Amino acid sequence: MMRTRPLKVALLGCGVVGSEVARIMTTHADDLAARIGAPVELAGVAVRRADRVRAGIDPALVTTDAMALVKRGDIDVVVEVIGGIEPARTLITTAFEHGASVVSANKALLAQDGAALHAAAEDNGEDLYYEAAVAGAIPLIRPLRESLAGDKVNRVLGIVNGTTNFILDKMDSTGAGYQEALDEATALGYAEADPTADVEGFDAAAKAAILAGIAFHTRVRIDDVYREGMTEVTAADFASATRMGCTIKLLAICERAQDGGSVTARVHPAMIPLNHPLASVRGAYNAVFVESDAAGRLMFYGAGAGGAPTASAVLGDLVAVCRNRLGGATGPGESAYAALPVSPMGDVVTRYHISLDVADKPGVLAQVATVFAEHGVSIDTVRQQGRNQGGGDGAAAEQGGGRRADGEASLVVVTHRASDASLSGTVEALRKLDTVRGVASIMRVEGE
């Protein structure tokens, strides 16, 4: 039997995502009611400017007083899509205190204050759902939090920002430079006027913190995530990646240590083999690769942003929260029982691709190989452009192009697995060699 009294929903924010939430709530009202077991009613919409025309929304529902809306007392669910830290944080906690559950798409707030928000929800017996905060329409948080709750997740590796993936894909497929690819992303609406949050990895780092916390049942904040942007990636890096049978992606990587005693979370550009599933993710799409003990390897792929895809995730959470409310229960809250420490970036172990500008004279390769050996970093391959030299320390050397007129050569070293701390010490020592004119680029090699 369907309950006739509607569940009342307050919408905070009516931009690209919020307007789609309102539209779907209206056009799919009968379907939502059937799935929930009761109708849902849009009871109020909080915006910054009330004078703007919003198609399909009754102007009588629009208010600029978001605080008064969440304090009404008759609201069942608050949908927060305004973003940022404040006033979103205060509005969400106030909603809990006044008897409403919350559905949020606010990755920045959850990555910074997720523990406090979960505690506030639990203290007031309310739900906090946020599928839309990571990877848009892709069902990811619920599978990690519920479907894999009985499994042990060891690694989460993914492309979680569509803007950066579009830019890197364009550089790879057309040979465009970074700025040219960014300009196209901006013109197409994939990049904001200020793209810093995307291209410097802040957006992906917030998502990595959320994913790591859920996957490893450990509190991980955005400050725990190592972050490196992609603005320094060049056409030369892509050329090197191509020679290695790789491409370059900005990855969010969350890992459990082999001994199980700690976790790491990081965001940075990386080379990945072309045969890895993530290598084929093109344009502005997102994909996340999950590795667990029992389920093995799983991949989640789809549209990671945009009004309709993100609204789809919001509405999925809305249905779940409304069902819980009708049943007099709440869904899963924060799971941080493991309380594993987050290890520093220096403990991360992976492979590296290092490009050096060196003096074009005999003996340089031997000096460079010695520095790697002294820091315990084993060399896999060496490619030198400018002079035919054999590899030292068991390296396999490839001869590159012709000699440079300026007396410099390019030396590319690919290592075996080593800790980030060991690699950093190696690079610091290399910079001190008279024969090394500069370190052109350092990039990690992942996904193997």
Side-chain angles (χ1 to χ4, degrees):
M1 296 277 302
M2 182 178 293
R3 194 181 80 163
T4 56
R5 185 179 74 80
L7 292 161
K8 294 189 176 183
V9 178
L11 178 61
L12 307 184
C14 197
V16 174
V17 176
S19 60
E20 281 295 306
V21 170
R23 181 188 67 80
I24 295 172
M25 284 186 64
T26 302
T27 58
H28 295 183
D30 291 342
D31 285 341
L32 290 172
R35 293 166 194 166
I36 292 168
V40 288
E41 173 188 313
L42 188 59
V45 181
V47 298
R48 283 186 295 180
R49 291 179 53 189
D51 58 345
R52 184 177 300 172
V53 175
R54 294 171 173 85
I57 297 178
D58 183 352
L61 297 178
V62 177
T63 178
T64 57
D65 193 344
M67 185 59 70
L69 180 59
V70 300
K71 283 183 174 181
R72 272 177 39 172
D74 64 335
I75 300 297
D76 293 288
V77 185
V78 170
V79 174
E80 182 273 309
V81 288
I82 56 178
I85 306 302
E86 288 291 357
R89 174 171 49 198
T90 300
L91 290 169
I92 288 174
T93 55
T94 302
F96 291 143
E97 292 165 359
H98 286 76
S101 289
V102 172
V103 172
S104 176
N106 196 330
K107 55 188 171 288
L109 178 58
L110 288 158
Q112 178 173 304
D113 289 324
L117 294 178
H118 274 291
E122 184 177 355
D123 289 345
N124 291 278
E126 303 296 342
D127 271 327
L128 173 62
Y129 275 54
Y130 44 90
E131 183 69 63
V134 180
I138 304 172
L140 182 58
I141 290 177
R142 189 170 286 112
L144 283 174
R145 190 163 64 172
E146 299 178 26
S147 303
L148 296 174
D151 204 346
K152 179 183 178 183
V153 176
N154 296 309
R155 195 174 198 226
V156 180
L157 172 78
I159 299 164
V160 295
N161 183 280
T163 301
T164 56
N165 199 59
F166 177 89
I167 293 169
L168 291 173
D169 182 40
K170 185 63 61 174
M171 293 175 69
D172 188 19
S173 60
T174 69
Y178 166 76
Q179 189 60 50
E180 181 184 354
L182 172 60
D183 290 344
E184 182 171 350
T186 303
L188 292 172
Y190 292 130
E192 301 286 347
D194 179 1
T196 302
D198 294 324
V199 300
E200 293 296 349
F202 291 101
D203 175 84
K207 296 170 181 176
I210 295 169
L211 291 175
I214 296 171
F216 306 132
H217 307 283
T218 291
R219 287 178 179 168
V220 180
R221 301 178 73 251
I222 190 169
D223 294 342
D224 297 319
V225 181
Y226 173 84
R227 179 193 54 78
E228 193 176 301
M230 49 155 281
T231 57
E232 301 300 318
V233 176
T234 66
D237 293 323
F238 273 103
S240 288
T242 299
R243 281 190 286 266
M244 290 176 58
C246 293
T247 188
I248 299 171
K249 300 290 186 182
L250 184 77
L251 298 178
I253 305 172
C254 312
E255 293 178 304
R256 188 191 300 269
Q258 286 191 340
D259 64 5
S262 64
V263 299
T264 57
R266 49 196 167 103
V267 169
H268 53 71
M271 294 182 180
I272 57 172
L274 292 175
N275 61 5
H276 192 281
L278 291 179
S280 61
V281 178
R282 311 300 296 269
Y285 276 79
N286 284 192
V288 178
F289 203 66
V290 177
E291 300 174 11
S292 67
D293 277 359
R297 296 181 173 184
L298 307 170
M299 183 164 161
F300 302 84
Y301 170 85
T310 305
S312 172
V314 169
L315 268 295
D317 279 349
L318 178 64
V319 169
V321 169
C322 287
R323 285 173 175 171
N324 291 343
R325 203 163 186 85
L326 289 179
T330 56
E334 182 189 31
S335 177
Y337 70 88
L340 297 172
V342 181
S343 295
M345 186 62 185
D347 291 350
V348 169
V349 175
T350 189
R351 299 177 65 208
Y352 301 88
H353 174 282
I354 305 100
S355 179
L356 305 172
D357 293 328
V358 299
D360 192 6
K361 62 183 183 181
V364 173
L365 181 55
Q367 289 182 355
V368 168
T370 297
V371 170
F372 276 89
E374 288 174 348
H375 288 81
V377 180
S378 176
I379 293 175
D380 180 22
T381 61
V382 174
R383 183 177 69 254
Q384 181 170 349
Q385 293 180 284
R387 184 180 295 277
N388 183 12
Q389 290 182 315
D393 194 33
E398 303 171 14
Q399 183 179 0
R403 186 171 186 161
R404 291 185 178 179
D406 60 4
E408 283 190 2
S410 175
L411 190 66
V412 175
V413 178
V414 179
T415 75
H416 290 290
R417 288 172 61 82
S419 72
D420 202 85
S422 296
L423 194 281
S424 295
T426 303
V427 171
E428 185 177 351
L430 288 170
R431 294 184 194 275
K432 296 177 181 178
L433 291 179
D434 292 339
T435 51
V436 173
R437 306 288 173 80
V439 179
S441 73
I442 304 167
M443 193 165 294
R444 296 165 186 88
V445 182
E446 302 285 349
E448 296 181 300

